[in-house]
Amino acid sequence: MKKSSVSVRIAVLLFLFSSGTHSIAGGEFTVAPENCRIIHASGKLNSESAKDLQLHLKLITGRKIPVTEGRTPEKGAFSFCVGIRPANDHRPFQGEESRWSLTENAAYFYGNDAGEKRGTEFAVYCFLERQLGVRWVEPGDGGIAFRKQYPLVLKTGEFSWIPALKIRSLRCWTQRKNAVSGLEAFHHSPAEMAKIAGETRVWQYRMRMCFRTDELQFGHAFTDWWSKYGTVHPDYFAVNKTGKRAPLLSAKQSENPVAVENSAKTIKLCVSNPAVADEIVRNYLAESPRRTCINVCENDNVGGYCRCAACLALDANRKYPMDDYRVCLTDRYLHLANEVAKRSAEHGSPAVTMYVYNQTIEPPVKEKVHPNVVLGMVPNIMDPEHLTVWYDAWKKAGATRLTFRPNHHWCFLHTALPMGLEKRFFDVFQLAVRKGAVGADFDSSQGQWSISGMTDYILAGAMAEPGKSFEELEEEYCSAFGAAAPEVRDYFRYWRNQVFEKRLRPRFDELVETGRFYNFARGVLWKLKELYRLEDFDGTDAMLRKGLAKKLSPPEKQRLERLMLANTGARLLFLAVTSPKEARVAACVNLLNFRLQNRANLHMDFNRLWDTENAAGVTELASAILLKDFGENAKETPRYWYFRTDEKDAGRRENWPLRSIRKIRSEWDAVPTDCSWENAAANDSSIPEELGRKLKNYDGIGWYAVSLTIPDAWRQKKIFLCFGAVDESCEVFLNGRKAGGHEFRRPNDWNTPFSVEITPYIRWDQKEQTVFVRVVDTAGNGGIWKRVWLTAGNK
């Protein structure tokens, strides 16, 4: 009878531990921290897990519990045993399984640590989360939310966590250096960047992430093919629009080593060539050890797709031109994946992984998905209704296995504005799980933890526990603010219910289209005045102030104050974008100074925000960087300068900078200096029709000229012309003499502010100073496209 009851108990345990998070819990008991020890088995993972357990227990109890290496509990003390399996547990692990077991004498944390698995470490984090209520709301120890407890109140029992998803990844881009002059204050030293990267990776593990699995591997697969095969097998590569099988480069890019390198890495394949599929399989067979999947995910970036007759014949749904980012090439790329799957089937039938991404986003028309093909779904839309139809169409085409790998952070969250997208992100993730996703890989958190930290926390929590509701995860996040949790919840719900649901959601498709390349956040920035109001910030500020009046612990207060600062920063961004033109630079100076003053207080990546805002052209931050130290000694030059194209480069030979401004006014046309010359006519009805047509696609040389009056009070100062941006290179002349210039050398030089000192070339004996700027543009837009300022500083 006794033997039978033991067998029944084992059978029940095996059922309970088959999937998800399970427990057989007993009663509560208390443990005095001074009577505790942390014992860990040998090995780096066990040692690190023990130290992190020690850190958390010290935060919770105020006592530092000793850590030693060993294999058994210490007699006479309550032992936290890390990487040590109880003697009575002989069951095999399932997948990445984590287990933890508590008696009144010891706690055991153990799991599957084979290969890159982290079962023991995750067992520690499951325990801290479930028994002690710890939350990790952002990277760094300041992101650890906990409740003080002394003594520890624990619960006996046996517990297990088996992840439902094979891949659980929220990629986190660490802060980096920005090359733009003037942003040095936001740069981090290599040691600081390493610290940020380390803290971010620890946060990912605390949230139980798994970035890859041997069974499924994705990622742009052919980035080294040009260096390997470009010379010996040019037939492997796409025929680009120039008719060559080579990386696609514009004249502008050919001057830029980084662009040349990137173009080689993103070159497209001739997918109709059977030799390409043969080479892929041949490479797979040569691997030692051999992987369990073959990655055929196409290289990144839009453009350069093959135009040979055989590839074009594979396309069945090409609604847009080949150069359009919306062109559909699904059938041709699925054809390649299917061919690789057929060829490799006789070699163990490995999985063949392929991205459903941009040009392969729409379901195929002719091709059917081979059973061995696993799809990495990268949807650009975030509408559950449309996504349901989309998933079902792929299922009809034969898709049986998929992972969810959206670029939603890049498209929707790369801004300093609260957007209320937490629930929408959660909903589309849950839809993917319901449609059979076996993994999730979000690319990528933008590091704006003080703005979108709730979204990232909820996504990470949902990947670890797909069975949790949005409300549960929302409550977990808000609990990090202690007694102010209701006000923080109201704050996020305001942006979600009043702004996203009522203003952004009804215009969702329009904003995605406006932002181009599915860039919803950029569309919002371009329509910001129509979508946000100052009252939004007034109301949400009041909510947070109400929470701040409550009794909070120092970490809770600091967390709330940081959220309030982020809301202030969002208000200043709103003003910087929406202020009238004459007040915009001053508003941008305020925003810049705020970020400089609070760069250490806000957990945000200001360099990445700069990239977003500057590329969108929605603020005058470039001018603010140049002008912030000049105060009243900064004067905006006229918006309109005189302009002339110079197709034959006659300006130098004929020495145009020596011409009188009177002659220039009578012969040249006035154009704005706050947009490229290609966009001049579209932005300004005063541009002559003939000139507008000529400039629409003009690449070459253009000259600008203007006369300026310099205040006599500036005689003893250094005087500069400050350019918001010139695309691409330029030379600057004052009164016929070359004063300086700006060359296009680095990728962002077309979009970078710069200054040219003109002090030595000023003629104080004349009222007006004549400025000429010679601009050279080789591709894309060109010209002076951000305003020019006259400034004076102390010598």
Side-chain angles (χ1 to χ4, degrees), residues 216 218 374-377 391 399-404 432 435-439:
L216 299 175
F218 291 87
V374 182
L375 303 175
M377 312 298 274
Y391 281 121
T400 57
R401 289 189 287 172
L402 63 96
T403 65
F404 184 52
K435 291 298 180 180
V438 296

Side-chain angles (χ1 to χ4, degrees), residues 13 71 180 192 197 321 381 454-455 493 557 570 599 684:
L13 280 171
R71 291 299 308 171
V180 177
E192 288 170 330
I381 53 176
M454 175 188 269
T455 303
R493 286 183 178 178
K557 183 180 180 184
R599 59 192 181 278
D684 201 308

Side-chain angles (χ1 to χ4, degrees), residues 25-93:
E28 288 186 349
F29 66 101
T30 60
V31 174
E34 58 268 23
N35 193 39
C36 292
R37 300 291 183 272
I38 299 174
I39 315 294
H40 69 83
S42 63
K44 183 179 178 182
L45 182 65
N46 292 325
S47 174
E48 289 176 349
S49 301
K51 288 176 182 176
D52 214 17
L53 176 62
Q54 180 190 51
L55 167 69
H56 285 80
L57 293 178
K58 183 180 179 182
L59 290 172
I60 292 166
T61 67
R63 302 290 198 281
K64 186 175 182 179
I65 298 173
V67 175
T68 57
E69 184 178 320
R71 291 299 308 171
T72 57
E74 183 177 312
K75 290 182 180 180
F78 183 88
S79 298
F80 293 95
C81 303
V82 179
I84 301 170
R85 191 168 182 157
N88 62 349
D89 186 353
H90 305 289
R91 293 169 291 124
F93 294 117

Side-chain angles (χ1 to χ4, degrees), residues 7 25 79 86 91 110 173 216 252 290 355 398 425 534-535 545 555 584 659 673 697 772:
S7 299
S79 298
R91 293 169 291 124
Y110 55 108
W173 286 78
L216 299 175
K252 182 186 294 189
R290 194 178 294 168
Y355 277 152
F425 268 65
L534 273 177
E535 303 88 83
R545 283 197 301 272
R584 193 164 299 169
R659 291 186 176 183
T673 56
N697 295 299
F772 280 79

Side-chain angles (χ1 to χ4, degrees), residues 130-192:
R130 296 184 175 283
Q131 290 231 13
L132 299 178
V134 175
R135 305 285 181 246
W136 301 280
V137 292
E138 60 185 43
D141 291 345
I144 303 173
F146 59 92
R147 297 189 304 271
K148 286 281 189 182
Q149 194 179 127
Y150 187 93
L152 289 170
V153 179
L154 305 178
K155 183 176 288 188
T156 61
E158 298 173 346
F159 309 86
S160 173
W161 175 73
I162 304 171
L165 301 180
K166 295 179 182 296
I167 299 172
R168 305 173 304 283
S169 171
L170 172 54
R171 304 185 199 181
C172 294
W173 286 78
T174 55
Q175 297 196 25
R176 57 183 176 78
K177 183 176 179 179
N178 191 299
V180 177
S181 175
L183 293 181
E184 290 82 3
F186 297 116
H187 296 174
H188 293 279
S189 68
E192 288 170 330

Side-chain angles (χ1 to χ4, degrees), residues 595-655:
R595 290 179 176 177
L596 286 168
Q597 292 162 9
N598 293 287
R599 59 192 181 278
N601 301 324
L602 284 168
H603 201 165
M604 297 174 70
D605 186 343
F606 291 108
N607 286 319
R608 195 168 299 284
L609 289 177
W610 160 267
D611 287 344
T612 301
E613 294 155 2
N614 198 40
V618 294
T619 71
E620 292 290 347
L621 273 172
S623 298
I625 290 170
L626 290 172
L627 304 174
K628 66 182 178 64
D629 295 327
F630 290 109
E632 294 181 356
N633 291 331
K635 299 186 180 298
E636 198 167 19
T637 67
R639 179 177 178 233
Y640 291 90
W641 288 28
Y642 296 97
F643 177 81
R644 179 175 173 177
T645 59
D646 186 9
E647 295 91 332
K648 298 181 180 179
D649 198 10
R652 277 179 166 166
R653 294 193 307 273
E654 298 171 6
N655 216 342

Side-chain angles (χ1 to χ4, degrees), residues 444-519:
S444 292
S445 171
Q446 301 296 288
Q448 315 308 346
W449 294 96
S450 300
I451 285 286
S452 51
M454 175 188 269
T455 303
D456 289 347
Y457 176 85
I458 286 175
L459 282 178
M463 282 189 275
E465 304 280 359
K468 283 186 177 180
S469 68
F470 175 83
E471 288 72 24
E472 287 178 281
L473 292 164
E474 177 189 43
E475 190 61 36
E476 285 181 12
Y477 181 85
C478 293
S479 69
F481 296 85
E487 288 74 23
V488 171
R489 185 172 55 247
D490 290 345
Y491 169 83
F492 283 102
R493 286 183 178 178
Y494 178 88
W495 296 111
R496 189 182 316 140
N497 298 330
Q498 301 301 318
V499 176
F500 176 75
E501 291 294 337
K502 293 185 178 179
R503 299 180 217 161
L504 305 184
R505 184 180 178 185
R507 299 176 63 175
F508 205 85
D509 293 342
E510 172 203 343
L511 293 169
V512 169
E513 184 70 20
T514 298
R516 298 188 74 245
F517 299 101
Y518 315 105
N519 198 320

